[in-house]
Amino acid sequence: MRRRELLKFALGAASILILPSSSAQAKHKRYAMLIDATRCYGCMACVAACAAENNVPIGVFRTWVERHVRKDGNITFVPKQCNHCENPPCVKPCPTGATFKRDDGLVLIDDETCIGCGACIQACPYGARFANPVKGVADKCTFCEHRLAKGLLPACVEACPAAARVFGDLGDPEGEVSKIVESSNVLVLKAWAHTDPKIYYRNLPKEADV
Amino acid sequence: MSLGAPLFPNELAEPILWHPVLFAYALVISGADLIILASLAYISKRMTKVIPLLLVLGVSFFSAALLGPLADLRQPSRAPLIFLLAHLSPTETNPGFSFIALYANLWLMLIVLSLAFLLFYQSYSMHLKSLTAGRLRRFYSLLSLGVKDEKRYKKLTPIITVISLLTITPAVLWGVYPSVLLVFQTWLFLWRSWVILPLIFFADTFVASTAATLLVYFIVKMGRLEEEVVNPLLKIHSAGCVSVAGLLGVQLLLWNQWFEGAEVYAAFNVVVPVIYLVIATLTLSFLLALASLKVARLSILVSVAALLGVVMNKWNTLVNGQLVSRTGLGVLDLHLPSDWLLTTLSPIAAAIFIFVILSSIFPLEVKEVGQ
């Protein structure tokens, strides 16, 4: 009996010691994605995977791939989606707070409190939001947060055959995304808008930054 | 859609996200300016004859103001959440604040204040009406708020003055809505570039409100107009017309200064021709207003010209403004839902209906105490 009590106490103490460190770790999470435009060859596997994973209706897109012709005549494909901005302009105009920014940097929408006013859609500089014609609420990329919760990668990342998309945690200095973002010349879309996007691009053609 | 120009695929799915009902909404908001005029008239003791008409028309229009955005919601049954979960202050998860939430709550405040203004202002008239009302005697007696003589009504003057003062700030704020939302909380290219839009909206709502008042006054009086009522309105209307036309001209100059030679300059072709038409129409209304100061019956033409200009201006800003892509390079085709006209007219029809009801209760001409 005493031994059992001692064991219970030890387990309790251990959980107290472990939990704060794990929640602290969660707090430091800062999800981001790196897209290498030279690797993408426009197969649209990411678009199809996203639509299938998230029941995206036909005609609207959580992610899409743009085709840009450079001045030298070469073609570059540029995947785009919600940038999960650090300073998200879409969160401010939401009248009910249905769209919000999570601790880990994800910008999400609560379908239950969204009134479908469209203010967030008009506020997105990247055209990443849309009115979901089936649900009647605003919709956009969630970085597949339901998959992240299970330790899986976003569907678009997993589906990309060219590994053009790399997903990771900027809070982890040893992670691939952190290392590349730190060491190489990466760009973000519409940097002048001061939204601080969390989608970084390598080899982004100038024509795609519209 | 201009071929080859960069557009976002989600823009193509729904080019006009905010339907033309927003445009009707912007017209009904002119009720806020009528309330400002009524308040200023009461405080300054000028234009006193027109106060009842301004108040009744203002309250009628403004009370229908939220019907427009309600019709534009994808989840209208959740509209009360704007009040219950109002995003009015920044938090870590919800930075900033929402203009929509702020203005919805201000609407509530202003409608309560303007109704109080109307009831207190008309209390003695209601008492007089209760004396001859027959079956509705109790109803009018209730609306008289217990005022039974001139002495008691005079005692209400400080209360009415305070209420009218309190209405001015929220009404002025409403006078610039929804332009502040368009310029500061959206990323559509044209709206974002239309920096003096709040000033244009403020002046424009004065044009719309005075034009509507002149029109209603003309109809109510069957053309037998009193200069004492019409002339002050014409003067305010003229100032509004000149201001809107001038500000639109300034905006054209600014666009020219900032964007001439840039790739995005072509996008302005969507709105610039209509802006020239608006300037011409409002200039015509201004000239007619000057003529109406001598021939009062011309005021009907002043109203028609001004309302035409206001309608064109609002349509141009709110509907054409959405046709230019966020990229500033592509232009979208206008596709309107089949029921757009009915949906657009219904808030205006509701405002007119409320006016008919209120004007049958409250007199549009009140004799000043002592007259």
Side-chain angles (χ1 to χ4, degrees):
Chain A
M1 199 62 177
R2 269 186 190 170
R3 192 183 295 166
R4 187 179 289 175
E5 275 174 8
L6 188 70
L7 201 64
K8 266 187 184 172
F9 175 75
L11 276 172
S15 68
I16 288 166
L17 288 171
I18 290 163
L19 277 176
S21 64
S22 62
S23 63
Q25 205 177 22
K27 266 190 178 175
H28 284 116
K29 274 200 190 306
R30 266 287 181 264
Y31 290 122
M33 190 183 282
L34 179 86
I35 295 174
D36 190 337
T38 51
R39 281 178 175 247
C40 177
Y41 56 86
C43 70
M44 309 282 169
C46 53
V47 180
C50 170
E53 179 69 31
N54 298 294
N55 281 328
V56 182
I58 291 167
V60 283
F61 301 87
R62 283 190 177 194
T63 185
W64 66 95
V65 180
E66 292 176 2
R67 178 182 177 273
H68 291 277
V69 183
R70 292 186 194 230
K71 277 183 183 157
D72 59 11
N74 286 326
I75 289 166
T76 309
F77 293 98
V78 181
K80 287 186 181 175
Q81 61 187 74
C82 168
N83 283 272
H84 293 275
C85 306
E86 187 62 34
N87 178 27
C90 55
V91 173
K92 290 168 195 165
C94 178
T96 62
T99 187
F100 58 97
K101 199 180 101 187
R102 236 167 49 171
D103 277 353
D104 54 12
L106 296 195
V107 177
L108 300 173
I109 302 161
D110 177 3
D111 283 356
E112 300 302 313
T113 51
C114 174
I115 58 171
C117 66
C120 59
I121 302 171
Q122 304 283 40
C124 175
Y126 306 102
R129 287 177 172 246
F130 54 90
N132 188 311
V134 177
K135 294 196 282 182
V137 294
D139 202 340
K140 66 169 202 72
C141 159
T142 61
F143 268 162
C144 284
E145 57 108 13
H146 59 288
R147 288 172 60 90
L148 295 181
K150 292 180 195 162
L152 300 169
L153 285 170
C156 57
V157 177
E158 204 168 77
C160 181
R165 294 170 181 257
V166 183
F167 184 77
D169 174 14
L170 285 179
D172 173 13
E174 296 306 310
E176 194 183 350
V177 174
S178 302
K179 279 183 180 168
I180 300 171
V181 168
E182 284 295 313
S183 63
S184 61
N185 189 17
V186 290
L187 292 170
V188 292
L189 292 172
K190 292 187 178 175
W192 47 266
H194 304 293
T195 55
D196 196 1
K198 288 291 164 277
I199 303 274
Y200 297 92
Y201 288 89
R202 276 173 99 179
N203 307 308
L204 181 76
K206 213 176 159 189
E207 294 80 3
D209 191 16
V210 288
Chain B
M1 178 185 68
S2 57
L3 293 172
L7 298 159
F8 294 119
N10 288 327
E11 289 179 328
L12 288 170
E14 205 169 1
I16 299 285
L17 188 73
W18 284 339
H19 296 148
V21 70
L22 179 71
F23 139 87
Y25 167 49
L27 287 178
V28 175
I29 287 171
S30 59
D33 282 18
L34 292 170
I35 295 167
I36 298 174
L37 289 178
S39 301
L40 292 176
Y42 187 82
I43 295 162
S44 65
K45 308 286 177 215
R46 295 168 78 177
M47 289 167 55
T48 47
K49 253 193 154 174
V50 82
I51 293 174
L53 178 61
L54 291 172
L55 254 182
V56 174
L57 199 59
V59 170
S60 310
F61 272 40
F62 195 67
S63 57
L66 288 193
L67 289 175
L70 182 68
D72 225 6
L73 293 185
R74 266 75 175 171
Q75 299 282 353
S77 62
R78 295 182 189 169
L81 294 181
I82 297 179
F83 299 102
L84 300 172
L85 302 173
H87 176 205
L88 295 172
S89 55
T91 62
E92 210 171 309
T93 48
N94 293 93
F97 72 95
S98 159
F99 275 125
I100 295 178
L102 174 73
Y103 275 92
N105 283 277
L106 273 177
W107 175 85
L108 202 60
M109 185 201 284
L110 185 53
I111 205 73
V112 169
L113 282 170
S114 51
L115 274 173
F117 186 8
L118 178 65
L119 285 173
F120 279 114
Y121 181 79
Q122 295 267 19
S123 54
Y124 187 57
S125 310
M126 291 294 98
H127 166 67
L128 295 177
K129 220 171 170 182
S130 74
L131 299 176
T132 54
R135 276 191 299 172
L136 290 171
R137 196 178 162 209
R138 287 190 71 179
F139 173 67
Y140 286 113
S141 184
L142 195 73
L143 290 180
S144 73
L145 306 173
V147 173
K148 287 196 169 76
D149 51 54
E150 292 183 4
K151 209 176 158 189
R152 193 102 186 252
Y153 182 70
K154 273 189 176 172
K155 277 187 181 171
L156 286 178
T157 308
I159 297 173
I160 304 174
T161 308
V162 170
I163 293 172
S164 56
L165 274 170
L166 288 175
T167 58
I168 292 175
T169 308
V172 167
L173 287 172
W174 257 95
V176 294
Y177 192 69
S179 59
V180 284
L181 172 72
L182 309 186
V183 178
F184 300 112
Q185 288 198 333
T186 72
W187 267 95
L188 296 198
F189 177 74
L190 273 183
W191 286 347
R192 200 82 188 173
S193 318
W194 216 316
V195 285
I196 57 168
L197 195 60
L199 288 175
I200 297 172
F201 258 63
F202 189 65
D204 194 52
T205 38
F206 274 106
V207 174
S209 56
T210 46
T213 312
L214 286 167
L215 184 67
V216 170
Y217 186 66
F218 192 92
I219 295 166
V220 169
K221 297 288 278 186
M222 309 284 272
R224 287 186 297 276
L225 310 175
E226 288 178 47
E227 282 186 6
E228 206 184 326
V229 174
V230 174
N231 286 1
L233 286 172
L234 283 170
K235 283 175 189 166
I236 296 166
H237 182 80
S238 309
C241 286
V242 170
S243 307
V244 176
L247 287 166
L248 285 171
V250 170
Q251 186 60 73
L252 289 177
L253 286 175
L254 288 174
W255 283 339
N256 219 40
Q257 194 94 5
W258 295 336
F259 298 105
E260 200 183 10
E263 221 180 338
V264 292
Y265 193 63
F268 293 103
N269 286 335
V270 176
V271 290
V272 168
V274 185
I275 288 179
Y276 284 127
L277 273 176
V278 174
I279 291 174
T281 318
L282 292 183
T283 308
L284 175 68
S285 183
F286 166 71
L287 294 173
L288 285 167
L290 292 184
S292 301
L293 288 170
K294 288 179 183 161
V295 187
R297 294 186 74 157
L298 279 176
S299 65
I300 182 85
L301 296 177
V302 175
S303 295
V304 172
L307 289 172
L308 188 68
V310 167
V311 166
M312 282 195 292
N313 195 23
K314 295 279 192 244
W315 185 276
N316 197 34
T317 315
L318 301 166
V319 179
N320 292 349
Q322 291 183 76
L323 291 178
V324 175
S325 164
R326 282 163 182 76
T327 62
L329 299 170
V331 178
L332 299 146
D333 282 338
L334 177 62
H335 290 294
L336 294 171
S338 54
D339 61 345
W340 74 270
L341 190 59
L342 273 179
T343 322
T344 306
L345 291 178
S346 40
I348 300 169
I352 294 169
F353 177 72
I354 298 168
F355 174 72
V356 170
I357 302 284
L358 287 185
S359 60
S360 68
I361 299 170
F362 300 103
L364 299 179
E365 279 181 291
V366 178
K367 277 190 178 172
E368 286 294 298
V369 173
Q371 277 185 334

